[in-house]
Amino acid sequence: MVSSARDSSAGAPSLINWDLAASTAARLAPPGPEISAGEIGKAVENLRFNADISVPHVHDITGLEAARDLRDSHVLVVDRASWSKANTQSFAVMLQPALKTMLDSRNGVAMTPAAAAASGAITGTQLGAVLAFLSSKVLGQYDPFAALAPDSNAPAGGRLLLVAPNIISVERELNVHPDDFRLWVCLHEQTHRVQFAAAPWLRHHMLDEIEKLSGNLLGNMDSLVERAGAVAKSLRDRTPSDKTPGRGAILDLLQNPEEKASLSHITAVMSLLEGHANVVMDAVDSSIVPSVKTIRQRFNERGKDRGVVEKFIRNLLGLDAKMRQYTDGAKFVREVVAVAGMEGFNRVWESAEYLPTEEEIHNSKLWLERMGL
């Protein structure tokens, strides 16, 4: 699987201008908080420090031996533009096989260089606009696919990105202790790093599933165009008072059973990963993060007064559905740990066969019964 991702990324004509996506995101991203060069240096050093000291806490809470040594991946403190560029590199790895499939489905009708350049410019600009929006929202992100990009110098395990301007902006907005907040954030993000270290098969499994889902979505361009039109209409018809978190209009493009099955599996895995990381954060007490109760309360209250434009974009991208994954996944983890202990729960990292289904995420007894726990 890894070699096919590498080969297709290097050989298939690109329908997305990744460099333009990165430069567009950097140009459109909102400015970060006002901070002096000296303060930036201290914040970067402090984030690196908190990233390091959070790992033993993750080990104590999860019991995962992978947390003892994480040398297979790097921790990078980045700005918004660097975060966007890193994501274009990962998207190129994840989507290139599907883009190649889409080109192959043209029945031998090759795109002219001019048409390919125009298509790449349009999609690159559109992706850059999305990344610009997201680049001001993300506090941190573990990227397990970085090493698979062509000419990548990332270590085999990938990289953890901590977005310094966003972390500083939120800690100021919430008026919480910076050192406490940074450690709290690092605990969540380092948990993701530990998850992939504990389950080295997971990155390849997810890449397979993403390739399958994106291949189904992009494989039939005629159908995709029709469905995109229907989704656009549904967005226009949606009322601002509709507070039900959906999957996101982009994912509403999925219709056939195979597409829905792929989405269901990816949703379950993401719910597991996000929920597990939240359980680790919630297991932290004041002996580790002195102001943790204040941070939790203020962070959970944050975001209630989003503007109309931001609500629309979040609806389009399904970001509120992602927040629901935190809740659903955390509930699953807590229920399993309550019955089988952390050791029993940790069997989930042993094999792809042990990953919960979306149905099991919502009914942990089904997973416990399947696992004989």
Side-chain angles (χ1 to χ4, degrees):
M1 176 62 213
V2 178
S3 61
S4 67
R6 285 183 181 274
D7 293 343
S8 60
S9 182
S14 179
L15 294 179
I16 301 176
N17 187 325
W18 301 108
D19 290 337
L20 181 57
S23 63
T24 299
R27 187 177 73 254
L28 296 181
E34 293 186 6
I35 183 170
S36 69
E39 290 174 314
I40 291 174
K42 290 180 180 179
V44 169
E45 183 179 352
N46 183 251
L47 281 167
R48 291 186 182 280
F49 172 76
N50 279 297
D52 286 341
I53 66 171
S54 64
V55 177
H57 297 307
V58 175
H59 176 260
D60 291 342
I61 295 168
T62 66
L64 292 171
E65 286 302 302
R68 288 190 182 276
D69 191 353
L70 292 177
R71 296 181 185 179
D72 70 334
S73 55
H74 285 167
V75 176
L76 302 176
V77 181
V78 299
D79 58 15
R80 292 170 178 175
S82 298
W83 177 87
S84 296
K85 183 173 180 59
N87 273 268
T88 63
Q89 295 166 349
S90 292
F91 284 154
V93 170
M94 291 186 285
L95 295 180
Q96 203 67 15
L99 294 174
K100 184 177 185 300
T101 299
M102 188 177 74
L103 286 172
D104 292 343
S105 71
R106 293 170 58 86
N107 298 321
V109 180
M111 293 183 71
T112 66
S119 174
I122 292 171
T123 53
T125 301
Q126 291 171 338
L127 176 59
V130 172
L131 288 173
F133 171 79
L134 295 176
S135 70
S136 64
K137 310 297 177 186
V138 176
L139 300 181
Q141 174 191 359
Y142 179 65
D143 175 10
F145 307 122
L148 305 182
D151 303 320
S152 173
N153 59 2
R159 58 196 174 192
L160 174 62
L161 308 173
L162 298 172
V163 191
N166 297 348
I167 293 173
I168 294 170
S169 179
V170 173
E171 69 192 25
R172 289 180 176 180
E173 175 190 339
L174 300 182
N175 191 27
V176 292
H177 192 284
D179 201 49
D180 285 4
F181 183 71
R182 294 167 190 177
L183 177 56
W184 190 69
V185 170
C186 287
L187 285 163
H188 181 102
E189 302 305 337
Q190 287 284 38
T191 300
H192 287 315
R193 193 177 174 210
V194 169
Q195 290 164 346
F196 281 86
W201 50 267
L202 183 57
R203 76 189 73 248
H204 308 306
H205 176 74
M206 288 193 67
L207 199 57
D208 283 337
E209 292 300 320
I210 292 168
E211 180 179 341
K212 186 188 306 180
L213 178 60
S214 57
N216 287 332
L217 181 59
L218 298 177
N220 187 332
M221 284 304 297
D222 293 336
S223 173
L224 179 62
V225 171
E226 291 177 4
R227 286 182 281 171
V231 168
K233 184 179 183 301
S234 73
L235 271 176
R236 291 195 304 268
D237 295 342
R238 224 169 271 186
T239 62
S241 59
D242 186 3
K243 297 181 179 179
T244 304
R247 297 173 306 169
I250 290 177
L251 295 183
D252 287 339
L253 293 170
L254 305 175
Q255 289 186 348
N256 71 47
E258 189 175 359
E259 291 172 349
K260 291 180 178 180
S262 295
L263 175 61
S264 177
H265 181 71
I266 292 174
T267 298
V269 175
M270 293 305 298
S271 296
L272 170 72
L273 300 181
E274 297 294 354
H276 179 241
N278 262 25
V279 168
V280 171
M281 290 174 77
D282 290 343
V284 170
D285 59 24
S286 58
S287 67
I288 299 173
V289 180
S291 58
V292 65
K293 289 185 178 179
T294 300
I295 291 173
R296 283 191 192 123
Q297 179 182 354
R298 295 181 184 177
F299 190 83
N300 290 337
E301 288 292 321
R302 179 175 175 264
K304 289 187 175 180
D305 298 322
R306 294 191 183 102
V308 175
V309 174
E310 182 174 346
K311 287 180 180 178
F312 176 85
I313 296 176
R314 293 180 70 87
N315 196 9
L316 178 69
L317 299 176
L319 296 184
D320 289 327
K322 178 176 173 61
M323 294 306 296
R324 189 170 57 182
Q325 289 177 356
Y326 287 68
T327 303
D328 295 345
K331 182 173 180 288
F332 169 82
V333 174
R334 291 191 184 98
E335 289 176 352
V336 170
V337 170
V339 174
M342 189 61 76
E343 183 177 354
F345 166 78
N346 281 341
R347 289 190 63 190
V348 78
W349 312 117
E350 294 176 7
S351 166
E353 296 178 358
Y354 295 166
L355 290 171
T357 65
E358 191 172 12
E359 183 181 11
E360 289 170 341
I361 285 288
H362 297 288
N363 186 351
S364 61
K365 290 182 180 179
L366 297 177
W367 186 84
L368 287 164
E369 290 173 0
R370 179 162 68 89
M371 298 297 296
L373 296 172

